[in-house]
């Protein structure tokens, strides 16, 4: 089917690009909308599967720098906007802005992301972790499943799911709620969630296959988590995960520390 994107510009608007969209690629100059002659309306249509769901933004007067050449994402994203004609938005915590998403009529139902009144809730605690190795500090969110106090006495430790971009996977992607729902449906067993934030203004440096950061995870972060909750000792039970640059970090940390993580969601 066709997904059509529309932007209402100003008289001074020179061009409008579709950005951060799976259908558009990483070169905004190749994803420019067309202007309806004699109007301030810009549009472009892309074919995609009817079961697609993907994020996107619109960028009026975009500077057209290819994404693989960006060194300052804060400045690069200054013209990125959500779609005012689309009610489907989510708040991207790591970007600090709302992002639109397109959804085809056959997109799979997102059945796990909403809290259900009858489902027992786990506990999420936000903590600060100082790193001697990196010389900085970050927030870490710890999730323990319902009944954790009893589970901790009965087991040798629970499987661990560790993600990067911590706040994003607590708020924008509500992983604690997803875990509660999957556990109640008996799709998974009880597990610990560890959601790791980045130090201020260091995300790109930390998550870009950084050996020093991988050592921080192995020698400071995981022992710190073990001092607070009971996690499994076998890498077979532990998952490391991330999206975008966090996905690269997840694959890299598991590659250099297979004794800690035997499963990767990248």
């Amino acid at each position: 089917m066709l997904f059509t994107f529309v932007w209402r510009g100003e008289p001074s608007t020179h061009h409008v690009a579709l950005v951060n969209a799976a259908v558009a690629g990483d070169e905004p100059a190749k994803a420019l909308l067309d202007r309806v002659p004699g109007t301030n309306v810009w549009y472009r249509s892309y074919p995609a599967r009817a079961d697609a769901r993907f994020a996107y933004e619109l960028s009026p007067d975009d500077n057209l720098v290819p994404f693989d050449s960006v060194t300052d994402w804060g400045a690069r994203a200054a013209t990125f906007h959500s779609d005012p004609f689309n009610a489907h938005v989510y708040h991207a915590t790591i970007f600090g802005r709302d992002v639109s998403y397109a959804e085809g009529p056959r997109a799979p139902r997102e059945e796990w992301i909403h809290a259900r009144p009858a489902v027992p809730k786990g506990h999420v605690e936000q903590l600060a972790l100082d790193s001697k190795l990196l010389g900085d500090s970050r927030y870490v969110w710890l999730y323990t499943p319902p009944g954790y106090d009893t589970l901790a006495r009965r087991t040798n430790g629970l499987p661990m799911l560790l993600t990067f971009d911590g706040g994003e996977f607590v708020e924008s992607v509500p992983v604690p709620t997803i875990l509660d729902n999957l556990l109640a449906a008996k799709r998974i067993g009880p597990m610990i969630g560890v959601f790791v934030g980045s130090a201020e203004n260091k995300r790109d440096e930390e998550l870009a296959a950084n050996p020093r950061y991988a050592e921080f995870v192995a020698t400071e972060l995981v022992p710190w988590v073990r001092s607070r909750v009971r996690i499994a000792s076998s890498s077979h039970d532990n998952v490391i995960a991330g999206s975008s640059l966090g996905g690269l970090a997840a694959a890299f940390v598991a590659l250099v520390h297979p004794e800690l993580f035997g499963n990767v969601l990248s």
Side-chain angles (χ1 to χ4, degrees):
M1 62 179 300
L2 287 179
F3 289 78
T4 298
F5 303 89
V6 178
W7 181 262
R8 179 181 292 157
E10 301 294 335
S12 59
T13 301
H14 292 97
H15 58 258
V16 182
L18 180 69
V19 296
N20 296 325
V23 295
D26 290 338
E27 295 186 54
K30 296 181 179 180
L32 294 176
L33 279 61
D34 294 317
R35 187 172 191 168
V36 178
T39 76
N40 63 350
V41 176
W42 304 75
Y43 78 98
R44 183 161 180 172
S45 297
Y46 283 89
R49 289 168 53 123
D51 61 356
R53 181 187 286 111
F54 55 90
Y56 71 95
E57 295 175 282
L58 292 155
S59 182
D61 292 331
D62 188 84
N63 65 20
L64 304 182
V65 173
F67 289 167
D68 61 4
S69 301
V70 174
T71 57
D72 183 347
W73 272 104
R76 182 64 182 87
T79 56
F80 294 0
H81 293 274
S82 59
D83 185 345
F85 296 116
N86 183 359
H88 294 307
V89 296
Y90 71 95
H91 185 71
T93 305
I94 57 174
F95 301 144
R97 63 181 187 268
D98 289 339
V99 175
S100 298
Y101 64 94
E103 190 172 62
R106 298 182 186 174
R109 188 165 62 96
E110 295 187 295
E111 58 183 308
W112 307 110
I113 66 173
H114 300 293
R116 303 175 184 179
V119 168
K121 305 296 188 293
H123 176 71
V124 178
E125 183 178 11
Q126 181 180 342
L127 301 166
L129 172 61
D130 296 324
S131 169
K132 293 181 179 179
L133 182 65
L134 301 178
D136 54 32
S137 181
R138 73 207 56 246
Y139 286 117
V140 179
W141 291 258
L142 292 182
Y143 163 89
T144 49
Y148 170 73
D149 290 343
T150 300
L151 292 166
R153 291 196 300 267
R154 293 179 180 175
T155 71
N156 293 323
L158 297 176
M160 173 177 61
L161 167 66
L162 186 150
T163 80
F164 300 112
D165 294 318
E168 186 84 353
F169 283 89
V170 174
E171 299 173 10
S172 302
V173 184
V175 175
T177 297
I178 294 170
L179 295 178
D180 290 340
N181 289 336
L182 289 172
L183 179 57
K186 300 188 183 332
R187 296 288 293 271
I188 62 171
M191 66 170 53
I192 301 295
V194 182
F195 310 102
V196 187
S198 291
E200 188 173 1
N201 298 322
K202 285 190 175 182
R203 179 180 184 268
D204 290 357
E205 173 189 340
E206 290 181 346
L207 301 185
N210 185 329
R212 192 171 180 84
Y213 185 75
E215 289 309 300
F216 155 73
V217 172
T219 63
E220 291 186 328
L221 174 62
V222 172
W224 178 85
V225 173
R226 290 192 190 279
S227 72
R228 283 159 175 78
V229 290
R230 299 192 53 150
I231 59 175
S233 57
S234 171
S235 63
H236 176 78
D237 296 318
N238 296 329
V239 183
I240 190 167
S243 177
S244 191
L245 200 57
L248 173 62
F252 180 74
V253 172
L255 178 68
V256 296
H257 287 289
E259 77 283 2
L260 295 178
F261 301 100
N263 309 276
V264 180
L265 294 172
S266 175

